[in-house]
């Protein structure tokens, strides 16, 4: 099974709302990632978790808060977002970060901030 | 520093004709290279990867790519395009042993004409 699942598929939220995106994988991967993707652009890395510890934060605003409750789950908590945060949010997983293995991506959550 | 350049932002081919999507890379070390495909409103799907084994790599859906170190290229080809191949294609690079993550090219939009 090479599947990464993400919920919800679509999310519309106001600038004062609090919501969470969820990601799950059952491939035994120990690295998990959050990306943000704008239309017609490549994904931009936001966060990397390695062995459930945050290893990379690409200077992401604090209104985005990641969480890795266990090796299979990754959450992204959202609060006080701005309209420019509207994008496709992709989760990915891979074997340990230092290796050469590929990343497997989920289908994404389409986020619209109103 | 490492970088990936996709030489064409848009490629159009007729159904049944060959596909060539070009990717050049720059890396101080022997990289791992990947091609991903993204259909509209979907996540990224891995097509194939090169990790210093055979230089001609076969992937899914009839795609293949050849790693040419002398030309620092990793072009993606397919002998005969199908309508279902219409999508965005991303070339990506990772340096093994580095904590740095995937470096993506800017993407190539493939249009397949009937």
């Amino acid at each position: 099974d090479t599947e990464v699942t993400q919920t919800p598929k679509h999310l519309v939220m106001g600038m004062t709302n609090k919501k969470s995106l969820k990601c799950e994988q059952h491939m035994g991967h120990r690295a998990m990632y959050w990306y943000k993707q704008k239309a017609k652009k490549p994904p931009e890395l936001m966060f990397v978790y390695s062995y459930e510890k945050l290893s990379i934060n690409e200077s992401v605003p604090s209104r985005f808060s990641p969480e890795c409750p266990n090796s299979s789950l990754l959450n992204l908590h959202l609060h006080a977002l701005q309209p420019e945060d509207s994008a496709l949010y992709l989760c990915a997983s891979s074997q340990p970060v230092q290796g050469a293995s590929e990343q497997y991506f989920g289908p994404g959550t389409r986020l619209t901030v109103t | 520093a490492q970088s990936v350049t996709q030489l064409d932002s848009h490629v159009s081919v007729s159904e049944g004709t060959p596909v060539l999507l070009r990717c050049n890379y720059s890396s101080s070390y022997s990289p791992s290279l990947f091609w991903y495909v993204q259909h509209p409103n979907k996540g990224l799907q891995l097509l194939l990867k090169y990790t210093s084994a055979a230089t001609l790599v076969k992937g899914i859906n009839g795609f293949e790519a050849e790693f040419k170190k002398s030309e620092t290229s990793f072009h993606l080809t397919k002998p005969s395009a199908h309508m279902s191949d219409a999508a965005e294609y991303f070339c990506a690079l990772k340096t093994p042993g580095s904590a740095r993550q995937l470096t993506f090219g800017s993407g190539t939009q493939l249009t397949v004409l009937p």
Side-chain angles (χ1 to χ4, degrees):
Chain A
D1 182 10
T2 57
E3 188 179 26
V4 176
T5 59
Q6 290 186 244
T7 55
K9 289 187 177 180
H10 302 275
L11 178 62
V12 179
M13 59 185 292
M15 291 189 286
T16 58
N17 291 158
K18 286 185 179 180
K19 296 287 185 183
S20 297
L21 309 184
K22 297 184 184 301
C23 173
E24 189 168 6
Q25 58 89 12
H26 293 287
M27 294 178 277
H29 289 166
R30 302 310 298 271
M32 296 186 76
Y33 312 79
W34 279 115
Y35 288 87
K36 173 184 178 180
Q37 187 181 28
K38 291 285 210 179
K40 304 298 183 185
K41 298 291 186 183
E44 299 173 22
L45 184 66
M46 300 175 72
F47 302 104
V48 180
Y49 274 83
S50 180
Y51 294 94
E52 296 94 68
K53 294 190 188 310
L54 183 65
S55 64
I56 293 178
N57 176 340
E58 291 286 7
S59 303
V60 179
S62 60
R63 57 186 184 268
F64 295 90
S65 176
E67 178 194 20
C68 189
N70 59 55
S71 60
S72 300
L73 292 174
L74 186 65
N75 299 321
L76 186 63
H77 303 297
L78 314 172
H79 174 56
L81 295 192
Q82 303 297 309
E84 59 265 29
D85 297 322
S86 298
L88 182 67
Y89 288 83
L90 295 164
C91 174
S93 70
S94 75
Q95 295 296 348
V97 168
Q98 302 284 349
S101 65
E102 62 275 22
Q103 292 183 19
Y104 291 90
F105 285 80
T109 294
R110 174 70 61 188
L111 174 66
T112 303
V113 181
T114 61
Chain B
Q2 55 189 32
S3 65
V4 177
T5 302
Q6 291 185 242
L7 298 165
D8 306 292
S9 59
H10 191 269
V11 170
S12 285
V13 299
S14 296
E15 191 176 21
T17 65
V19 175
L20 170 64
L21 305 183
R22 299 183 294 166
C23 173
N24 284 358
Y25 70 91
S26 174
S27 177
S28 302
Y29 304 95
S30 295
S32 295
L33 291 159
F34 308 88
W35 275 101
Y36 285 89
V37 62
Q38 186 176 31
H39 289 92
N41 296 311
K42 301 290 186 183
L44 276 68
Q45 180 184 18
L46 180 68
L47 282 176
L48 48 80
K49 66 175 181 178
Y50 166 77
T51 54
S52 75
T55 56
L56 183 62
V57 182
K58 293 189 183 299
I60 62 171
N61 300 335
F63 286 95
E64 63 181 39
E66 186 171 8
F67 174 73
K68 292 186 176 180
K69 186 175 181 178
S70 61
E71 299 176 11
T72 60
S73 69
F74 189 57
H75 301 335
L76 182 70
T77 61
K78 184 174 180 177
S80 175
H82 294 169
M83 296 297 290
S84 60
D85 295 327
E88 187 84 19
Y89 291 78
F90 293 100
C91 182
L93 173 154
K94 186 177 192 299
T95 301
S98 168
R100 294 308 304 157
Q101 302 310 306
L102 287 177
T103 299
F104 283 96
S106 55
T108 299
Q109 178 69 47
L110 176 65
T111 299
V112 182
L113 304 170

